[in-house]
Amino acid sequence: MSTNRGAGAQPGLRTGPSIWLAVPALSFFAAFALIPLLGAVALSFTHWDGLGTPTFAGVDNWTRILSDPVTQNAMKLTLMLTFATWLVQCPTSLLLGVFMAGKQRYREGFSILYFLPLLFSSAAIGIAYKALLDPNFGLGSALGIDALNRDWLGDPNLSMPTLVFVIAWSFVPFHSLLYMGAARQLPDSVFEAAKIDGAGRVATFFNMTVPMLRSTIITSSTLMIVGSLTYFDLIFVMTQGGPGNATRILPLDMYLRGFRSYDMGGAAVVGVILVVVGVAVSYSLNRLSGNAKMDSTLEGA
Amino acid sequence: MKFSSRRGILVAAASAAVLALTACSGGAQPSGPGGASATGAGFTAWALTGGTSETTFKASFDEWNAAHSDAPVKAEFFANDAYKEKIRTAVGSGNAPTLIYSWAGGTLRDYVTNSNVIDLTGKLTTLEPRIVPSVLDTGKVNGKLYAVPNNNAQPVVLYGNKELFQKAGIAAAPQTFAELLDAVAKLKAAGVQTPIALAGQSVWPELMWLEYLTDRVGGPEAFTAVMEGKPDAWKDPAIVKALEMIQELVKAGAFGDKYGSVVADSGADVALVHTGKAGMLLQGAWVYGTFLTDAPDFVAAGKLGYTNFPSVEGGKGDAKNIVGNPANFWSVSATATPAQQESAIKYMNEFMFNDAYVDGLIKGGSVPVTTDAEAKIKASDQAEFLGFAYDMVKGAPSFQLSWDQALPSTQAQALLQNLSQVFLLTQTPQQFVDTMAAVK
């Protein structure tokens, strides 16, 4: 109703709902995202140890942090983690999602099981895995399987792959759910036509299902990639960035700088870098994929 | 209209940012009563969970509350790492509890510099004379008393599993570094995968090795020079030598190959010793209490051995020197109201280290830092260990505060990070000292 009145008041100028409807959401966004963000930018130009008063430092923090080998290593690790989580999660959840989209009863049973990790909090998952992976008192010694008694979280070469696995375990269900929903919407008629033309299962999957799920793949990849920039809770619970600096990715670097070394200025620099990279990545993914236009993929229907 | 509303939003955001910034300088502005939940003369206290301290504090606070219902104390207890992060924010934003729990050292100096805590000199006339002077000195900054010890002395002790020693044919606890290496070899030969338990994920237990070895090689002066900020203090040959000895131990398999996953907070390193998976453990005296609660039979059967850290052949340090935490401390927040500060000081004078308090600490296997503790220790069931720890503290020519507590926090964090890499053999001793020397 208000839409109609708005359109009537300014004919031909605006057709959508009144802009004022965006105010509640915008004000929350401003209060809890934009203002703290500006605060962090300001803080990145000061020296502050958490006590006392921040003192102006110019670009000192920026030059110091950008040339710090610890932060440079953190950037490298973040890139590696982003790439590895995508490489592991994308194919797995695509396959699982398409599998779950089938209407068979046993598949629905599996879907419920796959869904379970989504119900647990990251901290709980971290604590549980930490206990399971403990080389002295964990799963390996409980079951008597010596191959499982590795120093999973304490060996610098093993800790990152282990984290990629645990992250995949907790996030694959969510992405599978996206793919399942998308795959169920694909029109049956196209697949029937393919079957009549003699296409096998594998060919159907690669030549039809995957291309038709393109939008979902992009959405899910954006979530994975942007999300992997901010992984914190799981890693903090499981390794605290250790052993050494082997899993100290940017969000952990920011936190440890701020709340362990009490270098708030340096932490703010890392935080601002994260925001810039995150926004840039999600924006360019959207542009590259043409997803911003929100075209329908159901042309064949 | 569109333009003006957008500008309106920008103006609002900018002015709010200014507000947020001014709020950042919480330490400089007058702020409300500390620990908002306590009213009137009632005060608040934050401390750590776990161990004898928590039960003793609770009992003591209950005792105070029963006697002073008009000024009750509200205590909250937190886990170690969580507390260290929370208290800094609370103090910095003017929301500190009346009684602030700390380890003295670098953090206390920061508090004093920013006037977050009040000067207690001359205010604790009843309490002060009862506390061991050397421990009381740790709470002083520039000769003034800002923090008072509230629990037990925590020297770092080398524990051993006597049963495994016997099995491996080790006659006595190692007294020198060579004997330690020999014991490691014998334990390995006897099939013990982890000769020395080490909580590598927590990192701070690794620091105990560096502290003791540096002391034994170069004496306490080596670290004192670092504390005083002397140029190139980190590059002292004693520190390099100690780091080399650490890597020698790692390469000899002294810590096994799984120490990187062991966490001290959950007592996993202690568990390795009493479950017979590890032969030795270098840890604070406070884990004796963990042994008592987790494996009472193991302790009762006399299988737990303990000794001072071995000496190093040709080293300058006295084998009686100890490292660790002299105690934990209470400071009184400067943002608390005068009435709250007064109650807190009254509490400390009248109730801290009274008979029940000292008895509680001793019963839990801790060494109270009071001068009258010795007689009570002799009469307790834990006389053997407590007597050992008490004599150790009393007879020590030097009692060095844990480095991560003594140093300013920026350096402390860098120290732990880099040390962890030395233990992982991904950093050489020379790289370590170069990196540390560059940290401001």
Side-chain angles (χ1 to χ4, degrees), chain B residues 39-65:
Chain B
T39 48
F43 60 101
T44 51
W46 288 0
L48 291 199
T49 50
T52 319
S53 297
E54 186 187 354
T55 42
T56 309
F57 291 159
K58 277 185 176 157
S60 176
F61 288 147
D62 285 345
E63 202 182 335
W64 163 270
N65 286 347

Side-chain angles (χ1 to χ4, degrees), chain A residues 35 42 48-53 130 135-137 149 151 153-154 156 238-239 243-245 248 255 259-262, chain B residues 16 24-25 28 84-85 88 91-92 110-111 114 201 257-258 260-263 271-272 277 409 413 417 420-421 424:
Chain A
I35 295 169
W48 190 39
D49 65 354
L51 305 170
T53 318
K130 203 168 157 183
N136 296 303
F137 303 102
N149 278 339
D151 199 1
L153 295 171
M238 289 178 68
T239 65
N245 288 330
R248 185 176 169 132
Y255 183 82
F259 294 98
R260 290 285 164 83
S261 304
Y262 308 118
Chain B
C24 283
S25 55
K84 284 180 184 164
E85 285 154 20
R88 185 89 178 191
V91 171
D110 283 352
Y111 290 164
N114 290 299
Q201 192 173 15
D257 54 2
K258 290 164 192 149
S261 299
V262 181
V263 187
L272 281 170
K277 291 187 180 196
S409 32
Q413 204 51 36
Q417 264 170 38
S420 147
Q421 296 183 49
L424 292 165

Side-chain angles (χ1 to χ4, degrees), chain B residues 108-139:
Chain B
L108 182 65
R109 281 198 305 276
D110 283 352
Y111 290 164
V112 172
T113 317
N114 290 299
S115 310
N116 298 125
V117 294
I118 62 168
D119 182 1
L120 294 171
T121 316
K123 289 180 179 152
L124 296 167
T125 40
T126 332
L127 181 65
E128 261 187 71
R130 305 186 44 219
I131 291 172
V132 176
S134 64
V135 179
L136 193 67
D137 283 348
T138 314

Side-chain angles (χ1 to χ4, degrees), chain B residues 209-289:
Chain B
W209 285 93
L210 179 62
E211 288 162 359
Y212 260 132
L213 285 170
T214 305
D215 175 88
R216 294 297 186 262
V217 174
E221 301 81 16
F223 183 67
T224 311
V226 171
M227 277 294 296
E228 287 165 358
K230 291 196 177 138
D232 287 338
W234 280 109
K235 298 186 180 171
D236 189 309
I239 297 180
V240 179
K241 178 84 181 14
L243 290 160
E244 282 166 358
M245 290 162 88
I246 285 173
Q247 295 202 327
E248 191 182 346
L249 280 167
V250 174
K251 283 176 191 154
F255 307 111
D257 54 2
K258 290 164 192 149
Y259 55 89
S261 299
V262 181
V263 187
D265 286 351
S266 58
D269 48 349
V270 172
L272 281 170
V273 174
H274 67 68
T275 54
K277 291 187 180 196
M280 287 176 270
L281 168 69
L282 185 67
Q283 256 291 13
W286 62 87
V287 305
Y288 182 74

Side-chain angles (χ1 to χ4, degrees), chain A residues 159-171:
Chain A
S159 53
M160 201 50 138
T162 310
L163 282 180
V164 170
F165 168 78
V166 179
I167 290 172
W169 187 87
S170 37
F171 288 101

